[in-house]
Amino acid sequence: MVGRYYEEFPINLKTGEANLTQIYLQEALDFIKRQARRRPFFLYWAVDATHAPVYASKPFLGTSRRGRYGDAVREIDDSIGKMLQLLQDLRVADNTFVFFTSDNGAALISAPEQGGSNGPFLCGKQTTFEGGMREPALAWWPGHIAAGQVSHQLGSIMDLFTTSLALAGLTPPSDRAIDGLNLLPALLQGQLMDRPVFYYRGDTLMAATLGQHKAHFWTWTNSWENFRQGMDFCPGQNVSGVTTHTLEDHTKLPLIFHLGRDPGEKFPLSFASTEYQEALSGIAQVVQQHQEDLVPGQPQLNVCNWAVMNWAPPGCEKLGKCLTPPESIPKKCLWSH
């Protein structure tokens, strides 16, 4: 990320033209060619053309009906196609597992020109509603995963760690809790595994999903101050009592939605219903177990240091001192203004 971090690769903000995806692609192709004939390899290809400021190279600009964002998606699609074709040309496709997904839902604050769509799901990136947390996922492994299948397995990016170990014939470490599941039974045999997923914002457990039910313990989109400045994480999607601009506590009576019937999280179950009571009982048990097993971690980065993320969260300038970073990180603070 050094190139994008320091803006050393030009992105024309007026036209949206940038060659960065092609540079990423060439690096990937060269790496695969070097490695594939010699030894097993791992490639993490984190392309970012669909992240504002959205960009595409000249051959793709203006080629989609979706504007600049669509142009960027087309170039990413073309690039992945070239990588898959190379795997086939090198005759290693049947021994290579490829997984495509995203780190969060579309950033509706940048949409429609600079962001995607979350379809029926509520809100977008920066929230713990389904629009912020759900992503598509595609798995490709010729000769092992049959084409055209659809799995309803609920997965997490954390599962890729455990799944990768299984692919390599390794056992996960037993000296710690591992949150990720091995997805191979779902991908290869079509098995469905019931598992909880916990939705955090910072260190606050905002929601939890078990089966088709999702419970919100806290609701919040963003502050009224930011909202009035035009920052809208849920454009056109106001749901009374749900998409709140103040942090609302529902820990005593969580808001529960059935995501199968109501993927847009618009109609919370009645507190008095049998379905609500049964769903709450199941979710409460897995949350209690999760919190009992949770071991607080030592932060590895000083989030108030601009050198960490090129931004610092609100409030850092009010602390008046550095957060204490590990010894490996320079004790230096650059405050946000």
Side-chain angles (χ1 to χ4, degrees):
M1 286 301 293
V2 168
R4 187 78 184 268
Y5 187 96
Y6 291 109
E7 304 290 345
E8 289 176 350
F9 293 99
I11 299 172
N12 189 317
L13 299 181
K14 185 175 181 180
T15 66
E17 183 178 348
N19 210 38
L20 196 47
T21 299
Q22 293 302 311
I23 296 172
Y24 286 149
L25 170 61
Q26 196 56 53
E27 284 288 330
L29 297 177
D30 291 345
F31 173 79
I32 293 170
K33 288 174 187 175
R34 287 197 308 270
Q35 299 295 326
R37 292 190 178 93
R38 297 190 296 169
R39 60 175 74 102
F41 66 87
F42 170 77
L43 170 64
Y44 173 48
W45 197 67
V47 68
D48 68 341
T50 52
H51 187 294
V54 170
Y55 61 84
S57 63
K58 196 167 186 178
F60 291 91
L61 278 178
T63 63
S64 83
R65 297 182 179 183
R66 183 58 174 77
R68 194 179 298 176
Y69 186 86
D71 298 342
V73 171
R74 292 197 70 192
E75 185 167 17
I76 293 172
D77 180 48
D78 179 79
S79 299
I80 294 170
K82 286 183 169 66
M83 285 187 274
L84 298 184
Q85 185 60 54
L86 178 61
L87 293 173
Q88 293 172 323
D89 293 344
L90 295 173
R91 298 184 180 179
V92 294
D94 61 353
N95 198 31
T96 305
F97 177 79
V98 179
F99 198 89
F100 175 86
T101 189
S102 181
D103 55 345
N104 44 251
L108 301 185
I109 191 172
S110 307
E113 292 83 7
Q114 298 272 325
S117 166
N118 294 316
F121 303 118
L122 187 61
C123 299
K125 176 184 175 179
Q126 289 126 332
T127 77
T128 48
F129 299 111
E130 291 300 281
M133 305 297 285
R134 278 208 201 195
E135 304 85 33
L138 298 167
W140 185 88
W141 191 9
H144 300 270
I145 301 175
Q149 293 185 99
V150 176
S151 173
H152 294 281
Q153 175 63 47
L154 185 60
S156 160
I157 289 178
M158 290 185 290
D159 297 338
L160 295 181
F161 169 72
T162 316
T163 304
S164 298
L165 291 181
L167 285 165
L170 300 173
T171 303
S174 58
D175 62 341
R176 71 205 70 182
I178 301 294
D179 294 303
L181 288 181
N182 174 12
L183 293 177
L184 291 184
L187 295 170
L188 302 181
Q189 288 96 38
Q191 297 179 20
L192 290 180
M193 299 167 281
D194 201 11
R195 57 92 65 87
V197 170
F198 305 102
Y199 299 66
Y200 277 86
R201 196 163 178 170
D203 58 2
T204 299
L205 180 62
M206 300 288 286
T209 297
L210 183 64
Q212 293 273 38
H213 292 102
K214 179 179 179 182
H216 288 270
F217 308 111
W218 299 86
T219 55
W220 187 49
T221 55
N222 63 343
S223 68
W224 277 114
E225 179 185 4
N226 287 340
F227 181 70
R228 291 183 181 116
Q229 291 172 352
M231 298 175 61
D232 191 352
F233 298 159
C234 314
Q237 291 186 303
N238 179 52
V239 180
S240 180
V242 179
T243 54
T244 55
H245 292 288
T246 53
L247 186 61
E248 298 294 329
D249 184 351
H250 306 282
T251 52
K252 289 187 170 56
L253 275 178
L255 300 179
I256 298 182
F257 299 88
H258 187 288
L259 297 179
R261 297 192 302 265
D262 179 24
E265 298 171 281
K266 292 179 174 64
F267 308 103
L269 300 180
S270 167
F271 296 144
S273 68
T274 301
E275 181 181 3
Y276 178 91
Q277 298 299 328
E278 292 176 349
L280 179 60
S281 174
I283 292 173
Q285 288 181 35
V286 297
V287 167
Q288 181 181 354
Q289 184 66 51
H290 166 70
Q291 292 178 329
E292 288 175 354
D293 294 341
L294 207 58
V295 179
Q298 169 74 22
Q300 295 183 344
L301 298 172
N302 178 357
V303 296
C304 283
N305 187 334
W306 266 60
V308 172
M309 287 280 289
N310 208 18
W311 64 274
C316 283
E317 69 279 5
K318 298 177 183 177
L319 294 177
K321 60 178 181 177
C322 277
L323 301 181
T324 304
E327 291 301 315
S328 59
I329 296 176
K331 291 178 172 61
K332 172 176 144 184
C333 275
L334 298 173
W335 305 112
S336 61
H337 299 288

